[in-house]
Amino acid sequence: MKFNFKEKTDLSTVVLLFEDEKTNSSIQKLIDKGTFKASKGKVISDSFAEKPTIYVGLGKKEKLDFEALRLAGFTAAKEANRLQLKELYVDIPVFENLCYAKSVSAFLEGFLQSEAVTDRYKSEKDKRSLEELYIKLNKDSEEVQRAVKEMEFVMQGVASARTLVNERSNTMTPSVLADYAKKLLEPLGVELEVFDLAKLKEIKAYAFLEVARGSDEEPRGIIMRWKGNKNSSDLTGLVGKGLTYDSGGYCIKTPGGMSTMHTDMAGAASVIATMEAIARNKLKINVTALVFACENLISGKAYKTGDIINSMKGTTIWVGNTDAEGRLTLADAVYYMASVEKPNRILEVATLTGAVIGALGYITTGVVTNDEHLANDFVAIGKESGEAFHILPLNDEYREMIKHDEADLANSLRDVGAGSITAGAFVEHFVENIPWVHLDIAGTADGKARGYLPSGAHGTPVKTFYYYLKSLSK
Ligand code: BES
Ligand code: ZN
Ligand code: ZN
């Protein structure tokens, strides 16, 4: 969709309405009669008119936030497509107590959210008519346009994450993922290095290679470097879980549980997409991202329950469950990041546990951290960007729960509970005391359509990653 910052009043128009504020437009009659209520996400249009007006509700005035504006933009775009409009005009008012540039960006983000591809595998493609939106700004035009351009680049990243996650495991293998990252990121100035099996053996990625063993597809390590500030030694490390398929291995999943496991690389997709967003926006920061990608399958070579395996760090691990494979791949990835790249902080993201869905459902990403201050900063930025996070507790009692009597650690133990916390505690063992935030996106990476999010992959948490990393450049 093209955004055109020009007044063009001879088009169909979007009018934004508060639930608790009278307007002098003709819609007020319907509101007075109770036919229409301008609550969040509600829309009505005079569709018989030659140039219909689209009225979108924002909810209560004092409760207005960026999230309501995103939903309003999304709702307006959906209605415009239903009316088969090609062009649309909107005059975006200045809202009290909200930064104008951020308000406009949020509202326009909603329009871009409406463009998410959900017909990838359908013979009949979605028909969307809306091509161009004319916008009247009422303040700081240049600054606002800059923020909108930035948001458009971030949304390109979000779209890439969604594309990667929605692709199925028969086409999205570890080597395809590596090639995709290379083709996407190198032209944007991101340096990329791909580790093949021989190199992964050389760096002693033992735990990761145990998981990868059961598959005929070769694993890959993908390391991506954005050096946006050569005058600074500050470095952030991003690590994403990259299981292009998780069958559970010998602890095989149910057919229902397994059918969505092409999404088990959503963490990897989100860090690749974040690199895209920061490179497109040329952020003045240094970021290194790492993905260890493989498949968790069953074969004569696959690892088994009861095995005791090694890791890059040298920590031995008793395999209590071959379906708790994510933490094994992350153990080596995070250890490599911590010990070789030595960043100032590590943000690690994974579709790690079903337990996080039990705790937080499909709405909120579970957070485990060794640095509350870092995690609080991150969560606060999530609030602005419209992604929900909740910090789970981590202390020595949980850390004790992952110990084993015959090996140093266990990847899974029966009847201890707190599945998302103990999974986090396991990964923590390998971060070498570097400030670290773990994001469990098992519930939030994909799912049904919700609010302005499409069905399938959601692109979580690319927006928050981006705006958090941007906050480091100030
Ligand atoms: N990839 C799954 C977690 C998952 C579950 C992601 C549902 C998305 C939706 C992970 O590898 C897994 O299977 N975890 C196990 C761990 C358990 C065996 C300790 C789980 O959560 O059941
Ligand atoms: Zn698993
Ligand atoms: Zn998994």
Side-chain angles (χ1 to χ4, degrees):
M1 184 160 337
K2 194 161 178 261
F3 296 137
N4 202 328
F5 293 92
K6 245 190 245 156
E7 207 167 336
K8 200 154 187 270
T9 48
D10 58 336
L11 295 175
S12 272
T13 303
V14 179
V15 176
L16 296 169
L17 300 171
F18 285 113
E19 194 178 318
D20 50 354
E21 192 176 73
K22 289 223 175 236
T23 86
N24 48 18
S25 87
S26 50
I27 193 74
Q28 192 59 45
K29 274 192 211 135
L30 288 187
I31 294 173
D32 291 340
K33 272 202 289 180
T35 311
F36 179 69
K37 192 175 167 205
S39 49
K40 264 193 249 180
K42 289 282 182 289
V43 63
I44 194 168
S45 59
D46 49 354
S47 44
F48 288 108
E50 194 193 334
K51 293 198 172 125
T53 303
I54 297 175
Y55 300 93
V56 182
L58 291 173
K60 296 225 164 76
K61 192 169 183 180
E62 63 163 31
K63 288 214 168 140
L64 183 74
D65 58 11
F66 301 130
E67 209 44 5
L69 287 165
R70 285 184 195 102
L71 187 63
F74 173 82
T75 308
K78 232 171 86 175
E79 183 70 355
N81 283 319
R82 193 183 70 82
L83 297 168
Q84 295 180 25
L85 304 174
K86 267 178 120 170
E87 297 177 319
L88 200 58
Y89 170 70
V90 63
D91 177 342
I92 307 180
V94 176
F95 303 106
E96 275 167 43
N97 306 325
L98 286 185
C99 161
Y100 191 57
K102 287 183 183 174
S103 308
V104 173
S105 297
F107 179 65
L108 298 185
E109 181 195 317
F111 280 78
L112 298 183
Q113 293 283 3
S114 80
E115 292 190 309
V117 179
T118 52
D119 58 5
R120 164 72 177 86
Y121 292 101
K122 289 273 195 189
S123 309
E124 198 171 318
K125 300 296 175 191
D126 293 343
K127 286 188 192 72
R128 292 190 187 119
S129 57
L130 192 60
E131 289 171 6
E132 191 155 5
L133 179 66
Y134 289 85
I135 301 145
K136 183 183 170 200
L137 296 176
N138 288 289
K139 218 174 122 183
D140 313 327
S141 180
E142 258 177 45
E143 183 200 332
V144 175
Q145 289 190 46
R146 237 181 293 128
V148 170
K149 192 76 228 157
E150 179 178 21
M151 176 279 294
E152 287 185 87
F153 283 147
V154 174
M155 287 304 293
Q156 275 185 271
V158 170
S160 297
R162 289 173 179 169
T163 300
L164 282 166
V165 174
N166 284 332
E167 202 66 27
R168 262 50 189 178
S169 77
N170 49 340
T171 47
M172 185 51 65
T173 60
S175 54
V176 171
L177 184 65
D179 291 345
Y180 191 105
K182 213 173 161 84
K183 283 210 185 80
L184 175 71
L185 297 177
E186 275 185 348
L188 299 175
V190 177
E191 291 170 22
L192 220 122
E193 211 182 321
V194 177
F195 298 164
D196 62 7
L197 181 60
K199 175 75 183 175
L200 288 162
K201 284 182 179 160
E202 191 186 306
I203 63 170
K204 301 187 169 65
Y206 296 132
F208 170 56
L209 290 174
E210 282 293 334
V211 177
R213 258 168 71 170
S215 168
D216 290 341
E217 289 291 337
E218 254 202 40
R220 288 287 182 270
I222 311 165
I223 185 151
M224 297 153 267
R225 291 194 172 84
W226 173 254
K227 296 173 182 162
N229 187 356
K230 300 216 161 114
N231 297 324
S232 162
S233 61
D234 188 80
L235 175 67
T236 304
L238 299 179
V239 178
K241 172 174 171 182
L243 266 288
T244 60
Y245 198 71
D246 178 13
S247 71
Y250 277 102
C251 302
I252 192 166
K253 289 181 182 292
T254 60
M258 210 188 298
S259 65
T260 57
M261 282 302 128
H262 61 283
T263 67
D264 213 16
M265 38 60 78
S270 77
V271 310
I272 293 167
T274 300
M275 295 307 270
E276 175 185 1
I278 63 180
R280 287 198 190 282
N281 279 309
K282 302 190 169 63
L283 285 191
K284 291 190 173 59
I285 48 165
N286 304 311
V287 183
T288 296
L290 179 64
V291 166
F292 277 0
C294 70
E295 293 185 317
N296 185 22
L297 297 186
I298 295 171
S299 81
K301 285 192 254 154
Y303 79 138
K304 302 172 284 300
T305 310
D307 286 358
I308 293 179
I309 65 174
N310 203 349
S311 62
M312 193 184 290
K313 180 172 172 175
T315 300
T316 59
I317 304 156
W318 179 77
V319 179
N321 193 317
T322 59
D323 197 12
E325 84 300 334
R327 67 198 74 183
L328 300 176
T329 69
L330 290 168
D332 284 348
V334 150
Y335 184 73
Y336 184 89
M337 179 60 80
S339 62
V340 180
E341 303 292 324
K342 299 189 173 71
N344 299 76
R345 62 201 73 77
I346 295 175
L347 309 177
E348 166 259 312
V349 56
T351 45
L352 203 60
T353 64
V356 81
I357 303 172
L360 302 171
Y362 299 97
I363 316 291
T364 305
T365 295
V367 181
V368 178
T369 186
N370 63 1
D371 186 329
E372 292 262 343
H373 184 73
L374 171 63
N376 283 333
D377 285 353
F378 189 86
V379 173
I381 288 182
K383 248 198 190 109
E384 273 218 349
S385 69
E387 294 178 314
F389 299 91
H390 184 79
I391 303 175
L392 303 169
L394 174 60
N395 60 42
D396 286 346
E397 275 194 86
Y398 293 110
R399 291 183 182 102
E400 281 301 314
M401 284 158 67
I402 56 170
K403 296 204 170 144
H404 192 261
D405 14 331
E406 290 176 272
D408 301 330
L409 296 182
N411 80 331
S412 165
L413 288 168
R414 285 184 162 274
D415 304 324
V416 293
S420 303
I421 300 173
T422 49
F426 187 95
V427 178
E428 185 204 29
H429 178 86
F430 301 89
V431 300
E432 304 305 277
N433 294 318
I434 291 175
W436 153 85
V437 168
H438 158 75
L439 307 166
D440 193 336
I441 56 168
T444 52
D446 72 302
K448 295 196 184 115
R450 181 167 65 82
Y452 53 76
L453 296 173
S455 65
H458 293 338
T460 323
V462 175
K463 291 194 290 175
T464 309
F465 269 159
Y466 174 83
Y467 288 103
Y468 173 76
L469 291 166
K470 185 188 174 191
S471 76
L472 299 175
S473 68
K474 284 174 197 152

